[in-house]
């Protein structure tokens, strides 16, 4: 008896390299792309630890929980860290980045999250990239949530290290991830005595054992099923067209915001400005006296398949996430989420307009 998942021929080095090439095209980059055999936290941490040490000064932008995590890693590497933090209901501006450089011209590394699915905001990477290029700093970008939902243009934006995962807007697996690495970033790693070596976190190991050898022999057995799933989701995006996939996510975000406003009951968009709201997921603020986690639990009791979640940590009291990404970026899913939240609010005595929310979401879908 054979099994379609278990009895597959080994994934060849050529096949592995071809998937990397397709990811590079998706990111619009000529930089090296390494697909790492683990969730995106692996290259996110590996890229920081490979390029940052005690002699560096890092500008770390905090627009959500991942920015806080990056700051912890940077300090752990011994870098001097300058944090620029903004309220989670907004985005950072290029002007704020320029001001930070003016105050600290020694900054040589910038870490930024493109879209924070956890807080629902997205940052203007193109404008920030111009500032970083002017100053010659290394630019590190977490595009895990944004890729597939909005443009990610690595070379055009001057990004030196760009990490993606497929589990959100791409609609793919969580078990593999990828990082694009510029020549400048490789040089910084090679000169960093603290860069991980002979380690699961080591990007230099991949460079020397995989890239420098012409990608002929894999350094270890790949995560075969995850690699095939990644290839399948990239192929699906290629067939549908990246613009169409991003368009679905933009439409889902617009429909969710419009529907939430029309629903009433005190529910409102958490990110104040629509232009600063991430297409990958929409966050909503609950009315006073309503605990977000309890409202989400009530909504999911009616339909556990809905992509609803409460905010993490302290945000569980006031924030709801509508995770309309990947296959859930449809008007039907958005309307289902709004209906479930509306019903849960109505049970608590709040006045809601379910039909108005449904129509508003439909009308906003473009």
């Amino acid at each position: 008896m054979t099994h379609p998942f278990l009895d597959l021929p080994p994934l060849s080095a050529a096949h592995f390299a071809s998937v990397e090439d397709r990811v590079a095209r998706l990111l619009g980059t000529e930089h090296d792309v390494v697909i790492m055999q683990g969730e995106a936290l692996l290259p996110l941490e590996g890229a920081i630890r490979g390029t940052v040490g005690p002699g560096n000064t890092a500008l770390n932008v905090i627009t959500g929980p991942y920015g806080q995590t990056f700051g912890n890693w940077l300090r752990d590497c011994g870098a001097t860290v300058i944090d620029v933090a903004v309220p989670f209901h907004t985005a950072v501006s290029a002007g704020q980045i320029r001001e930070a450089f003016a105050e600290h011209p020694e900054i040589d590394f910038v870490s930024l999250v493109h879209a924070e699915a956890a807080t629902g905001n997205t940052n203007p990477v193109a404008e920030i990239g111009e500032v970083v290029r002017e100053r010659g700093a290394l630019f590190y970008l977490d595009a895990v949530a944004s890729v597939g939902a909005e443009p990610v243009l690595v070379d055009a934006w001057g990004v030196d290290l760009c990490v993606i995962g497929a589990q959100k807007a791409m609609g793919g697996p969580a078990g593999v991830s990828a990082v694009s690495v510029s020549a400048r970033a490789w040089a910084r790693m090679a000169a960093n005595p603290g860069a991980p070596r002979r380690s699961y976190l080591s990007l230099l190991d991949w460079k020397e054992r995989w890239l420098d050898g012409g990608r002929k022999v894999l350094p270890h057995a790949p995560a075969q099923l995850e690699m095939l799933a990644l290839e399948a989701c990239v192929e699906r995006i290629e067939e549908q067209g990246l613009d169409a996939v991003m368009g679905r996510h933009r439409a889902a975000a617009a429909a969710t915001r419009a529907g939430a406003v029309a629903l009433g009951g005190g529910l409102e968009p958490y990110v104040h400005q629509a232009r600063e709201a991430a297409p990958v997921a929409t966050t909503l603020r609950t009315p006073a006296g309503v605990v977000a986690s309890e409202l989400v639990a009530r909504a999911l009791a009616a339909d556990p398949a809905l992509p609803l979640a409460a905010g993490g940590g302290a945000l569980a009291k006031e924030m709801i996430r509508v995770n309309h990404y990947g296959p859930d970026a449809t008007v039907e899913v958005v309307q289902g989420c709004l209906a479930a939240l509306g019903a849960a609010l109505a049970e608590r005595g709040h006045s809601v307009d379910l039909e108005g929310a449904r129509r508003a979401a439909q009308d906003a879908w473009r």
Side-chain angles (χ1 to χ4, degrees):
M1 176 182 178
T2 61
H3 193 286
F5 291 157
L6 301 179
D7 302 309
L8 295 167
L11 190 73
S12 68
H15 194 169
F16 192 105
S18 73
V19 180
E20 289 181 332
D21 292 341
R22 293 174 88 162
V23 171
R25 288 194 293 272
L26 180 69
L27 297 178
T29 185
E30 297 294 326
H31 296 167
D32 291 326
V33 168
V34 176
I35 296 179
M36 301 195 75
Q37 308 298 280
E39 201 271 338
L41 281 172
L42 172 62
L44 285 170
E45 182 174 359
I48 282 180
R49 295 194 182 278
T51 51
V52 176
N56 298 118
T57 299
L59 173 60
N60 180 53
V61 180
I62 301 176
T63 57
Y66 281 100
Q68 294 170 330
T69 297
F70 300 160
N72 292 336
W73 288 339
L74 289 163
R75 290 180 175 88
D76 190 48
C77 291
T80 299
V81 181
I82 312 300
D83 286 325
V84 172
V86 301
F88 290 173
H89 63 257
T90 187
V92 74
S93 70
Q96 288 171 292
I97 303 303
R98 193 178 298 279
E99 289 173 6
F101 271 108
E103 294 178 13
H104 303 278
E106 69 275 17
I107 291 170
D108 59 9
F109 184 93
V110 176
S111 53
L112 175 71
V113 178
H114 187 181
E116 286 267 13
T119 50
N121 53 39
T122 191
N123 292 303
V125 182
E127 291 86 350
I128 291 170
E130 290 183 12
V131 178
V132 177
R133 280 199 303 275
E134 290 172 6
R135 298 293 183 149
L138 211 65
F139 193 12
Y140 164 102
L141 184 69
D142 171 355
V144 174
S146 57
V147 64
E150 55 188 303
V152 177
L153 304 172
V154 169
D155 291 2
W157 295 345
V159 180
D160 293 287
L161 294 155
C162 182
V163 176
I164 67 164
Q167 67 266 36
K168 288 188 168 65
M170 290 177 67
V176 291
S177 49
V179 55
S180 64
V181 187
S182 71
R184 292 199 320 146
W186 284 130
R188 179 79 69 92
M189 286 185 218
N192 179 13
R197 302 303 301 268
R198 296 167 296 281
S199 164
Y200 199 55
L201 289 170
S202 177
L203 285 168
L204 283 175
D205 287 356
W206 275 95
K207 182 180 187 302
E208 294 176 1
R209 299 178 61 192
W210 172 240
L211 297 174
D212 291 351
R215 301 191 296 179
K216 301 297 185 184
V217 179
L218 285 163
H220 54 71
Q224 175 142 318
L225 294 178
E226 287 79 3
M227 286 295 298
L228 294 174
L230 174 61
E231 180 182 42
C233 85
V234 173
E235 181 175 316
R236 184 167 60 184
I237 290 172
E238 291 171 347
E239 290 176 350
Q240 293 178 1
L242 180 58
D243 286 344
V245 175
M246 292 190 296
R248 281 195 298 111
H249 287 83
R250 285 195 304 272
T256 305
R257 288 179 70 90
V261 171
L263 179 65
L267 206 63
E268 60 185 24
Y270 193 90
V271 178
H272 295 178
Q273 302 295 324
R275 61 184 173 80
E276 296 178 343
V280 70
T282 297
T283 48
L284 303 172
R285 188 184 298 276
T286 53
V290 176
V291 177
S293 58
E294 295 175 359
L295 192 68
V296 167
R298 184 65 62 90
L300 291 177
D303 186 351
L306 292 172
L308 292 170
L315 295 176
K317 295 181 179 180
E318 64 180 23
M319 179 192 286
I320 293 170
R321 295 203 322 266
V322 183
N323 295 316
H324 46 66
Y325 52 70
D328 288 326
T330 70
V331 68
E332 292 81 11
V333 168
V334 169
Q335 290 172 330
C337 290
L338 293 169
L341 291 171
L345 282 168
E347 289 180 9
R348 296 180 58 93
H350 292 261
S351 177
V352 297
D353 184 355
L354 294 176
E355 178 58 22
R358 186 196 67 78
R359 288 198 309 269
Q362 185 68 58
D363 292 344
W365 190 272
R366 295 288 185 268

